[in-house]
């Protein structure tokens, strides 16, 4: 080996790495100055410019020692004269070559013993110094090419012509020519041309040649300092930022990448880790707490440096694996914080002119009527919009940088040295979601919702970038516009959904009950050995310890969340806990597609922990489909995209469900505040215009109020501009719309799998409903949903999902079923969405109506009833109002009163309902009996509650009625009204159900209906009754309780039965109504304001009391309807007189012993007991036993009393 070198003696403090017990004496500001000086002197800029502080000449190998000595002497004084003998070192102070012993081969050594030339095949030589403790380095200048090994050896090591340093057990060497390290055996080490090049030992850095060992000296001394948080933040981060201050793209500054390369090369791993961790934490703090300035320059600067650091592959992977989601809340980098004060953000400069809408209705909503705006208002609006555009452009710069960060984290091409960044990100992202899903009540652990909103939008942008990039490379794949999550992700166990609820219930239950379907459709088997014969009930609480012990030996689906944030292995509920532990023992097996399984073909696929998954587990390999395992036959055999992107998409949907929708609704409050203050300002200006000139005091107060409202509106309008740009912009709306369409496609594909639809997590349906609600209610003030591409089709597809699944037997969760029903009820309230329901296939419409007409017992019926009522509102008697008429009479200016949507009845769906009731003879009686039962219950509960309210009001002592009781009372009243409207709808659409007595249940239904109508009329219309007294109290919470809503509903039913039908129907309805013992003609007269003479005499002193009359509601009841009521009253008056004249007195013995209202008309078999037909028919609907003897009734015959002799 030929070598020629020059060695320089250094004392221990010059170049030795400091350890914890032995901290450097250089502290405080000197540390900062030294580190700053070296960073700027060694890593000079490409253009040669240097900071003003860099006044010294360039640092080179020749003046390195002098430079170090001089700087250290400034701080340490006489420290050089102390401790001349370094601990752990033996030998002379100046290190030279040992030419007397320990060498092999023909060597020519220089006179100063610092250089050597080899003239033999493979010669070796040692130095004169031994080290035995601590960390040491030496430097050699290599002046020629060739094969060389440089390293360390022990005193006992012996060399020969065949074995040099590194070839014996007692030595260790590095070969820069072959880029390998040696200790008897050899392995790859380092990078050729970067550590030591073949031609020269010089490293070329920005045009400044620096010896590698020189850099080692620098890093050996300053590495411990670069782990200190205050130095990293004050010096290192400042230095790196100064590099980027020169402008240009991040790629135009490779010096940062080179510095990170050197840090990984020359620093200990734990030091690099700590330095990077502190650097990123410093960047996060600076980004989070830096003030908002008009151009967002500070935020942009910190994001650019974050991108520069993350562009370094090794650093990025370390930060992803250990820092970003474990130590830091990395989503802070994707948040654009809202300014606390408008002045701080410079919004007054960006938006000098403010504007707000000032065309409002009585209810406080912006009027949709087109009104001509003044020229001044138009100029203000346009200036305000220009300011908003300026703000939007600046925020878009920050957003694009944030998306760049995510693109780096989602890179799947950097596979050198371990897993690609994307797969590390996936595992950490899943844990992040689990943490936020499992700790919903722990605010200290949860990611703030405002961070999640921004993170969601940036992640969607990055995902679609990679998705469409894959589409470009693989034309057969789907584009991001067609994206969806395939159903196999929900049941193949490859993606962990934690303890989130599935549509069909607990996953362990689904695995057992649907194992045959999994095998037949998805080629997935549940391993019987893993499932065992244990059922949920077998896992008693006393088996907890045994179950826990067994679980420790099996793969668990429960995941820990980095460090101290570990999630419990099961929920607090014992039942759910047993379910999760039971599920964790399950294993799935893969079948060969489309052929029967043999005993040897079953392959166990164990569920891996998130952190154990690799690229092969996600993307799959040959013969392994990864996340796409178990594709059902209903799914097209077409690639969607990379499996890893499917999991990211699934996480985005889950993230929206966790907190994003809640935050979108919360931020609408600023817009509401603007509307309220604008209304107040408009009202104040109107008062100023009406204020008499004499009242200067009032005028001055009004001017002060006007000034306050104007200042507040100026502040809110600028803040609203910020919110509209960052949260409610057109681009953000398109993101939410894209997410809605993803959910719709996912639900449709999963629905096609039949029973396997039960495996889908509930949050997919929730996100579909909530995202539509957000688009309609939250974004509409700024952007219109009608302008979205494919809006009509999307609306129809969502309507089909709601119509099909609100009564889907595969969905067992009560909460999600209620949500579906509420969403459908909201859908039919608005003309646009109702037309979407009418456009779904006829078969689905009929199925939806059939589900709505199912009996109301044993299910939440109130929402179903509201849906039917909304389909009818606008067609019923006096049922065309948008606000309750009695409230408009008493409080016409009160905008806080409840308001209803404009009526939009659906004649198409009404026709489907009529056809179903006519054609299905079993459906109509069961549905109507359930409606009558619920009406009886709701009205009885209402009467009982108003009795308690009246008693409380009559007590002498001061007391308050519970607001919850008032709310329940008003709800029972509203339910009674809505049930009456459904009965009115049924009587109008299919009157033959009640009047065609060829149907077996028609007479009974008509009698029950008449009985309930008479009870309602008698309770509400009696003079000075309980209902009147409670209504006159005008209690807050009972605003909707009044005569009008309930009486017009009853009137509509009676008019349809007694006036709008044929003669035979009128005759039958009249006979049944008059035959009911509760019928009182006075109740019918009350509707038109007619009172009995006795009542008029009693009420004579109170001349100011106004009686209820339908004649006073001419705006809501047309003359034709009033004429029908007059006709009905005349008809009943005549018929009741005739009935009274012809009716013979009936003895008590001939009356029904059950109701004592009707004569005996039926006899039972075989016991021969008797009652009226109405009582026995109603009784037999629920019970087959006789009233009296409890014998089983086998038949009922007509009974006619024999004529007396």
């Amino acid at each position: 080996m030929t070598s020629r070198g020059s060695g320089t003696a250094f004392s221990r403090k010059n170049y030795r790495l400091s350890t914890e017990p032995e901290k450097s004496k250089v502290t405080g500001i000197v540390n900062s100055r030294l580190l700053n000086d070296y960073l700027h002197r060694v890593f000079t800029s490409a253009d040669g410019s240097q900071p003003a502080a860099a006044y010294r000449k360039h640092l080179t190998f020749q003046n390195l020692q002098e430079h170090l000595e001089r700087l250290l002497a400034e701080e340490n004084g006489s420290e050089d004269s102390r401790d001349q003998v370094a601990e752990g070192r033996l030998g002379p102070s100046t290190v030279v070559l040992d030419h007397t012993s320990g060498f092999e081969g023909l060597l020519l050594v220089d006179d100063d013993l610092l250089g050597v030339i080899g003239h033999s095949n493979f010669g070796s030589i040692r130095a004169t110094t031994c080290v035995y403790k601590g960390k040491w380095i030496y430097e050699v200048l290599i002046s020629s090419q060739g094969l060389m090994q440089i390293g360390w050896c022990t005193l006992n090591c012996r060399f020969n012509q065949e074995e040099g340093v590194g070839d014996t057990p007692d030595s260790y060497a590095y070969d820069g020519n072959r880029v390998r390290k040696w200790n008897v055996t050899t392995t790859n080490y380092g990078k050729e041309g970067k550590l030591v090049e073949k031609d020269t030992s010089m490293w070329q850095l920005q045009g400044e040649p620096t010896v590698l060992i020189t850099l080692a000296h620098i890093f050996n001394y300053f590495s411990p300092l670069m782990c200190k948080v205050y130095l990293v933040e004050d010096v290192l981060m400042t230095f790196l930022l100064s590099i980027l201050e020169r402008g240009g793209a991040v790629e135009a500054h490779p010096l940062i990448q080179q510095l990170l390369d050197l840090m990984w090369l020359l620093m200990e791993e734990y030091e690099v880790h700590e330095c990077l961790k502190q650097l990123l934490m410093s960047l996060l703090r600076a980004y989070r707490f830096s003030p908002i300035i008009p151009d967002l320059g500070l935020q942009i600067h910190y994001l650019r440096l974050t991108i520069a650091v993350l562009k370094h592959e090794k650093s990025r992977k370390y930060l992803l694996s250990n820092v970003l989601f474990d130590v830091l809340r990395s989503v802070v980098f994707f948040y654009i914080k809202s300014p606390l004060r408008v002045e701080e953000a410079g919004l007054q400069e960006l938006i000098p002119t403010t504007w707000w809408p000032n065309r409002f209705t009585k209810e406080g909503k912006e009027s949709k009527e087109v009104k001509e705006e003044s020229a001044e208002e138009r100029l203000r609006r346009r200036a305000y919009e220009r300011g908003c555009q300026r703000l939007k452009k600046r925020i878009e710069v920050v957003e694009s940088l944030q998306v760049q960060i995510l693109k780096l984290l989602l890179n799947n091409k950097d596979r050198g040295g371990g897993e690609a960044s994307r797969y590390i990100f996936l595992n950490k992202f899943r844990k992040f979601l689990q943490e936020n899903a499992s700790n919903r009540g722990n605010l200290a652990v949860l990611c703030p919702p405002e961070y999640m909103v921004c993170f969601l939008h940036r992640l969607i942008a990055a995902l679609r970038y990679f998705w469409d990039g894959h589409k470009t490379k693989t034309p057969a794949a789907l584009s991001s516009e067609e994206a969806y999550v395939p159903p196999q992700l929900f049941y193949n166990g490859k993606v962990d959904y934690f303890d989130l609820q599935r549509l069909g219930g607990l996953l362990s239950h689904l695995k057992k009950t649907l194992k045959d379907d999994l095998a037949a459709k998805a080629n997935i088997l549940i391993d019987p050995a893993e499932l065992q014969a244990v059922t949920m009930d077998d896992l008693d609480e006393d088996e907890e310890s045994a179950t826990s012990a067994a679980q420790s030996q099996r793969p668990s689906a429960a995941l820990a969340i980095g460090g101290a944030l570990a999630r419990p292995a099961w929920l607090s509920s014992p039942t759910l806990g047993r379910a999760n532990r039971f599920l964790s023992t399950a294993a799935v097996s893969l079948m060969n597609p489309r052929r029967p399984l043999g005993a040897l073909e079953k392959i166990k696929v164990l569920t891996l922990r998130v952190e154990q998954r690799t690229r092969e587990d996600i993307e799959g390999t040959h013969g392994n489909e990864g996340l796409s395992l178990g594709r059902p036959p209903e799914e097209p055999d077409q690639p969607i995209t990379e499996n890893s992107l499917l999991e990211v998409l699934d996480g985005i949907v889950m993230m929206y469900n966790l907190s994003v929708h809640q935050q979108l609704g919360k931020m609408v409050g600023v817009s509401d505040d603007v509307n309220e203050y604008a209304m107040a300002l408009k009202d104040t200006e109107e008062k100023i215009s009406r204020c008499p000139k004499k009242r200067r005091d009032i005028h001055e107060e009004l001017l002060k109020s006007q000034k306050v409202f104007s200042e507040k509106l100026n502040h809110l309008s600028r803040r609203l501009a910020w919110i509209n740009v960052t949260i409610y912009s057109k681009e953000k709306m398109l993101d939410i719309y894209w997410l809605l369409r993803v959910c719709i496609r996912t639900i449709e594909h999963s629905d096609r799998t039949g029973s396997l639809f039960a495996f889908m997590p509930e949050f997919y349906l929730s996100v579909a409903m909530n995202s539509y609600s957000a688009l309609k209610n939250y974004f509409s003030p700024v952007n219109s949903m009608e302008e979205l591409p494919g809006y009509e089709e999307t609306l129809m597809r969502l309507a089909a999902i709601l119509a099909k699944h609100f009564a889907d037997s595969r969905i067992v969760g009560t909460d999600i079923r209620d949500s579906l029903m509420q969403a459908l009820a909201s859908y039919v309230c608005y003309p646009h969405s109702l037309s979407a329901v009418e456009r779904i296939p006829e078969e689905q419409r009929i199925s939806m109506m059939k589900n709505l007409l199912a009996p109301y017992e044993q299910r939440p019926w109130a929402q179903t009833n509201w849906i039917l009522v909304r389909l009818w509102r606008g067609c019923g008697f006096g049922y065309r109002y948008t606000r309750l008429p009695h409230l408009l009479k008493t409080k016409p200016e009160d905008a806080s009163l409840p308001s209803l949507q404009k009526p939009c009845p659906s004649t198409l769906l009404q026709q489907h309902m009529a056809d179903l009731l006519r054609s299905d003879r079993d459906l109509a009686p069961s549905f109507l009996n359930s409606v009558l039962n619920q009406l009886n219950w709701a009205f009885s509960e209402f009467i009982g509650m108003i009795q308690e309210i009246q008693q409380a009001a009559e007590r002498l002592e001061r007391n308050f009625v519970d607001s919850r009781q008032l709310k329940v009372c008003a709800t029972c009243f509203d339910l009674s009204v809505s049930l009456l409207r459904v009965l009115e709808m049924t009587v109008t659409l299919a009157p033959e159900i009640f009047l065609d007595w060829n149907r077996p249940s028609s007479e009974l239904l008509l009698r029950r209906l008449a009985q309930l109508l008479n009870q309602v009329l008698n309770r509400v219309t009696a003079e000075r009754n309980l209902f009147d007294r409670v209504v006159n109290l005008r209690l807050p919470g009972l605003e909707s309780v009044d005569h009008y809503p309930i009486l017009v509903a009853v009137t509509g039913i009676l008019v349809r039965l007694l006036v709008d039908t044929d003669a035979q129907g009128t005759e039958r309805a009249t006979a049944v109504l008059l035959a009911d013992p509760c019928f009182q003609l006075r109740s019918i007269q009350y509707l038109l304001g007619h009172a009995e003479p006795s009542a008029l005499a009693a009420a004579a002193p109170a001349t100011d009391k106004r009686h209820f009359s339908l004649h006073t509601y001419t705006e809501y009841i047309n003359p034709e309807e009033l004429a029908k009521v007059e006709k009905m009253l005349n008809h009943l008056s005549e018929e009741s007189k005739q009935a009274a004249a012809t009716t013979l007195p009936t003895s008590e013995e001939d009356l029904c012993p059950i109701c004592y209202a009707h004569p005996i008309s039926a006899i039972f078999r075989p016991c021969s007991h008797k009652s009226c037909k109405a009582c026995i028919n109603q009784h037999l609907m629920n019970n087959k036993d006789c009233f009296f003897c409890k014998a089983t009734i086998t038949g009922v015959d007509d009974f006619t009393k024999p004529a007396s002799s």
Side-chain angles (χ1 to χ4, degrees), residues 1087-1195:
L1087 299 175
L1088 295 175
H1090 301 166
E1092 294 178 346
S1094 58
L1096 289 173
T1103 56
D1104 58 338
K1105 179 176 176 61
R1106 300 181 62 185
H1107 290 278
F1108 175 86
S1109 175
L1110 295 178
H1111 288 293
T1112 61
Y1113 294 93
T1114 54
E1115 294 183 12
Y1116 307 100
I1117 304 175
N1118 57 45
E1120 182 183 353
E1121 291 174 331
L1122 287 174
K1124 290 181 179 180
V1125 178
E1126 294 279 4
K1127 182 178 179 181
M1128 177 186 69
L1129 177 58
N1130 296 333
H1131 171 72
L1132 288 177
S1133 299
E1134 290 296 326
E1135 292 295 326
S1136 60
K1137 291 178 182 177
Q1138 294 180 13
T1142 58
T1143 300
L1144 297 175
T1146 303
S1147 66
E1148 187 174 340
E1149 296 178 356
D1150 297 332
L1151 290 176
C1152 170
I1154 304 301
C1155 64
Y1156 282 94
H1158 307 292
I1160 295 174
S1161 56
I1163 183 170
F1164 315 156
R1165 291 198 309 264
C1167 59
S1168 300
H1169 286 111
K1170 307 176 187 66
S1171 75
C1172 66
K1173 286 184 179 180
C1175 289
I1176 188 57
N1177 288 338
Q1178 185 172 351
H1179 176 70
L1180 290 178
M1181 292 175 62
N1182 303 309
N1183 199 329
K1184 300 299 182 184
D1185 297 339
C1186 175
F1187 291 112
F1188 309 101
C1189 64
K1190 303 304 179 185
T1192 301
I1193 299 176
T1194 60

Side-chain angles (χ1 to χ4, degrees), residues 114 142 171 204 298 323 542 729 745 829 991 1101 1127 1154 1188:
L114 294 178
I142 301 172
S171 63
Q204 191 74 14
L298 296 175
V323 179
D542 56 354
S729 68
R745 282 189 289 268
C829 275
K1127 182 178 179 181
I1154 304 301
F1188 309 101

Side-chain angles (χ1 to χ4, degrees), residues 957-1073:
E957 64 272 13
R958 184 180 178 85
N959 57 81
F960 299 92
V961 181
D962 188 2
S963 60
R964 289 175 299 180
Q965 185 180 8
L966 294 174
K967 185 176 181 180
V968 173
C969 179
T971 302
C972 287
F973 179 79
D974 294 338
L975 284 174
S976 301
V977 173
S978 67
L979 289 164
L980 285 168
R981 287 297 184 180
V982 170
L983 288 171
E984 178 192 17
M985 178 182 182
T986 308
V987 170
T988 305
L989 296 176
E992 60 269 27
I993 297 175
F994 294 93
L995 301 177
D996 182 6
W997 286 5
N998 293 323
R999 292 171 171 260
S1001 57
S1002 294
E1003 184 180 359
L1004 172 61
L1005 289 173
L1006 185 59
R1007 290 184 184 278
R1008 290 197 65 194
L1009 177 63
Q1011 181 183 9
L1012 282 172
L1013 294 179
N1014 283 325
Q1015 289 178 4
V1016 171
L1017 283 172
N1018 294 341
R1019 286 285 191 176
V1020 175
T1021 61
E1023 288 291 335
R1024 297 184 302 280
N1025 65 353
L1026 179 64
F1027 187 87
D1028 269 339
R1029 292 197 293 270
V1030 171
V1031 167
N1032 292 331
L1033 289 175
R1034 298 297 177 190
L1035 296 174
L1038 293 183
E1039 291 89 356
S1040 62
V1041 178
D1042 195 78
H1043 295 81
Y1044 181 87
I1046 196 166
L1047 288 181
V1048 291
V1050 173
T1051 304
I1053 300 173
L1054 293 175
V1055 167
R1056 186 66 184 87
L1057 289 173
L1058 301 174
V1059 178
D1060 294 339
T1061 186
D1062 55 22
Q1064 185 182 24
T1066 301
E1067 181 183 351
R1068 288 175 177 173
T1070 305
V1072 170
L1073 188 66

Side-chain angles (χ1 to χ4, degrees), residues 6 31 111 144 270 304 375 403 542 563 594 690 732 738 749-750 804 829 1004 1015 1027 1037 1058 1077 1175 1192 1203:
S6 60
N31 283 346
D111 293 340
S144 63
Y270 73 90
R304 279 166 52 83
V403 173
D542 56 354
R594 307 294 181 266
R690 298 197 308 266
K732 308 301 185 298
W738 178 79
H749 279 264
S750 189
K804 181 173 183 179
C829 275
L1004 172 61
Q1015 289 178 4
F1027 187 87
L1058 301 174
C1175 289
T1192 301

